[in-house]
């Protein structure tokens, strides 16, 4: 791994070394750190390495059945994103459903933290042409992202645009236009 900035390299290396040390020293805790390491690699755009790390983590059923560790759904969400980016939509959908289910069990279905899980599933369902399910999850995401994002946030605009598209392909033109207009209104307020 190469960085132009020495400080970033040291911090990144320290995170990897800490995680690797944890892998060698403990059992269950090690697997949680494997998920954290995968997310760090993903954030650093080391997609293939992140995928390897997160797949090992996700394939360990002990991790997925022990405790209410909120890092588990986040790690599955990250792996789901990687699979979707690579066009592996069936795998992404299975991971997204598992992540959403675990997160819902930990925080509840109306918690604002659920927005990213609903948004991800909505996108994947639309990508596989299951627009009814996509619309359901995107509507849930819109409902929750209003609680966590400013009214004029770019992400809200994208969510409205995706919901509009989902409704358009289902011939709900009135609903699609309403959501496209909301997306445009937000973009005009943030001057994009």
């Amino acid at each position: 791994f190469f960085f132009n900035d020495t400080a970033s390299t040291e911090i990144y290396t320290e995170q990897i070394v800490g995680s690797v040390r944890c892998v060698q020293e403990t059992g269950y805790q090690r697997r949680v750190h494997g998920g954290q390491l995968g997310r760090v690699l993903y954030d650093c755009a080391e997609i293939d390495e992140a995928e390897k790390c997160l797949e090992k983590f996700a394939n360990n059923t002990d991790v997925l059945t022990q405790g209410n560790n909120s890092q588990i759904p986040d790690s599955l969400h990250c792996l789901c994103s990687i699979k979707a980016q690579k066009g592996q939509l069936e795998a992404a959908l299975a991971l997204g459903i598992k992540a959403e289910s675990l997160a819902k069990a930990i925080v509840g279905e109306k918690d604002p933290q659920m927005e990213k899980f609903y948004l991800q599933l909505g996108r994947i369902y639309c990508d596989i042409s299951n627009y009814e399910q996509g619309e359901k999850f995107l509507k849930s995401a819109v409902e929750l992202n209003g609680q966590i994002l400013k009214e004029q946030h770019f992400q809200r605009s994208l969510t409205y645009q995706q919901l509009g598209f989902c409704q358009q392909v289902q011939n709900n033109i009135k609903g699609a236009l309403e959501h496209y207009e909301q997306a445009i209104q937000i973009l005009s307020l943030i001057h994009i």
Side-chain angles (χ1 to χ4, degrees):
F1 305 107
F2 299 97
F3 288 88
N4 293 333
D5 179 7
T6 304
S8 294
T9 304
E10 290 173 9
I11 291 169
Y12 182 61
T13 304
E14 183 179 311
Q15 289 174 335
I16 291 175
V17 170
S19 294
V20 171
R21 187 177 307 119
C22 192
V23 166
Q24 294 171 346
E25 293 175 359
T26 62
Y28 173 69
Q29 184 70 16
R30 141 183 99 78
R31 293 180 192 100
V32 172
H33 280 280
Q36 289 172 338
L37 176 59
R39 292 194 314 272
V40 168
L41 290 166
Y42 181 76
D43 291 343
C44 294
E46 296 291 340
I47 305 302
D48 292 333
E49 292 302 315
E51 182 178 26
K52 289 177 196 171
C53 189
L54 289 166
E55 279 182 339
K56 287 180 186 175
F57 174 80
N59 290 330
N60 189 326
T61 55
D62 292 344
V63 170
L64 302 179
T65 58
Q66 292 180 6
N68 278 355
N69 190 321
S70 63
Q71 295 175 12
I72 295 170
D74 288 338
S75 296
L76 294 176
H77 178 268
C78 185
L79 182 56
C80 176
S81 295
I82 292 169
K83 296 296 186 185
Q85 287 171 12
K86 291 185 170 191
Q88 299 169 7
L89 297 177
E90 293 301 321
L93 181 61
L95 289 162
I97 290 169
K98 188 183 295 186
E100 182 258 350
S101 175
L102 289 169
K104 194 185 309 182
I106 294 169
V107 299
E109 67 182 287
K110 295 294 183 183
D111 189 283
Q113 295 176 58
M114 292 299 298
E115 184 265 349
K116 70 180 177 185
F117 298 100
Y118 296 149
L119 180 59
Q120 186 175 57
L121 281 173
R123 288 175 177 164
I124 294 170
Y125 276 117
C126 287
D127 287 346
I128 62 171
S129 301
N130 186 339
Y131 299 110
E132 286 181 28
Q133 280 295 95
E135 181 178 0
K136 174 185 147 194
F137 281 102
L138 289 170
K139 283 182 175 180
S140 294
V142 164
E143 182 182 314
L144 291 178
N145 78 16
Q147 296 175 31
I148 57 176
L149 300 174
K150 296 185 305 188
E151 194 63 34
Q152 299 93 7
H153 194 282
F154 183 70
Q155 181 61 45
R156 285 182 60 95
S157 172
L158 291 177
T159 306
Y160 281 126
Q161 182 274 328
Q162 288 185 313
L163 185 54
F165 171 77
C166 194
Q167 291 174 324
Q168 179 184 350
V169 297
Q170 295 179 85
N171 291 319
N172 178 356
I173 303 305
K174 183 180 178 185
L177 285 174
E178 179 182 315
H179 289 104
Y180 285 143
E181 287 172 1
Q182 288 173 306
I184 291 168
Q185 181 181 17
I186 291 170
L187 289 175
S188 70
L189 292 172
I190 57 176
H191 306 292
I192 289 185

